[in-house]
Amino acid sequence: MGAESKVEAATLAGAMALAFGEIDAAMKSANNPHFKSKYADITAVIEAIKPALIKHGLFFTQHPEPSERGVTIETILHHANGDKLSLGKLYVPANKNDAQGFGSALTYARRYALVTAFGVPVEDDDGNAAARTVKRDEPRITDEQVVRVQSLLQATGIDAVNFCRVMRCKDIPDLPASRFDEAVNRLEKKLAEMAKADTNDKAKEPA
């Protein structure tokens, strides 16, 4: 039997075990026009998992859920026998309250939901090293840290693009792990200043 032949297991669990063993690391393929680097976009992630899923009678669907300030994605794995399994939900806040902001959050949520659900070891983007002072092999912040930074940005009203310019990274997921504490401290300090100013304004209000 050839390598491309379909080998469908009788159960969803059996098919998952076979397919997950064949999923390779997502290759970096999307060009970054600013630095001419490459990173694994959602298309590359899908291409990395799709052959193994199809081979073993599996496919996935992703369902967005309404959210006032961001995007929630649920990824569901289906088997040819009709079985299905939820692989969990992922929430990502939108950096801006407009179509572009929510569109970016949706793409990010879909990509990282697949990376997490299928264990795809996506490499960090080190193509911008020439424009940064960090080492090429320095790890980036985790998905949980990305969500924390984005939440603080939203709470302070700071523009993500300007913040990334200050932190010398192309976007929030590209923030070096070594600068995570600095980023959080900057944002929490701003949040504290806003709270203090709000308290002072209320104190000045006539009784």
Side-chain angles (χ1 to χ4, degrees):
M1 183 176 292
E4 298 301 321
S5 301
K6 290 188 68 175
V7 184
E8 293 185 9
T11 65
L12 186 149
M16 286 177 64
L18 294 172
F20 279 37
E22 297 179 8
I23 295 175
D24 295 323
M27 302 298 293
K28 294 184 176 183
S29 66
N31 291 323
N32 181 331
H34 299 290
F35 296 91
K36 296 183 179 179
S37 64
K38 292 186 176 181
Y39 65 95
D41 65 354
I42 187 171
T43 301
V45 173
I46 292 175
E47 288 177 350
I49 65 177
K50 188 175 180 180
L53 296 182
I54 293 176
K55 179 179 178 181
H56 297 288
L58 298 168
F59 68 95
F60 67 87
T61 55
Q62 291 187 297
H63 307 271
E65 297 182 0
S67 180
E68 182 179 354
R69 296 188 175 183
V71 176
T72 298
I73 285 290
E74 180 180 16
T75 301
I76 299 177
L77 186 65
H78 303 261
H79 186 248
N81 68 4
D83 291 342
K84 62 182 179 180
L85 174 68
S86 174
L87 300 178
K89 298 180 180 181
L90 176 67
Y91 170 76
V92 174
N95 286 335
K96 294 182 179 180
N97 190 27
D98 57 19
Q100 183 177 1
F102 276 83
S104 296
L106 176 61
T107 299
Y108 180 87
R110 289 184 61 207
R111 177 178 183 265
Y112 274 91
L114 292 177
V115 166
T116 302
F118 295 101
V120 181
V122 180
E123 298 179 12
D124 291 321
D125 177 20
D126 56 12
N128 299 339
R132 300 191 298 259
T133 59
V134 297
K135 296 179 180 179
R136 287 180 63 88
D137 58 351
E138 184 172 355
R140 303 294 180 259
I141 59 177
T142 65
D143 293 349
E144 291 76 12
Q145 291 173 327
V146 168
V147 172
R148 184 179 178 188
V149 172
Q150 290 178 328
S151 297
L152 286 170
L153 284 170
Q154 187 175 41
T156 57
I158 295 176
D159 181 73
V161 174
N162 291 334
F163 185 75
C164 289
R165 188 177 296 115
V166 172
M167 298 303 296
R168 288 178 292 181
C169 56
K170 71 179 183 64
D171 53 24
I172 301 303
D174 186 56
L175 181 68
S178 63
R179 305 199 68 188
F180 173 71
D181 288 341
E182 177 189 350
V184 170
N185 288 339
R186 282 175 179 266
L187 294 170
E188 289 183 340
K189 181 180 179 181
K190 176 63 176 178
L191 201 59
E193 291 174 351
M194 292 169 61
K196 183 177 180 181
D198 183 60
T199 301
N200 292 339
D201 289 341
K202 290 182 178 178
K204 293 177 182 179
E205 292 179 359

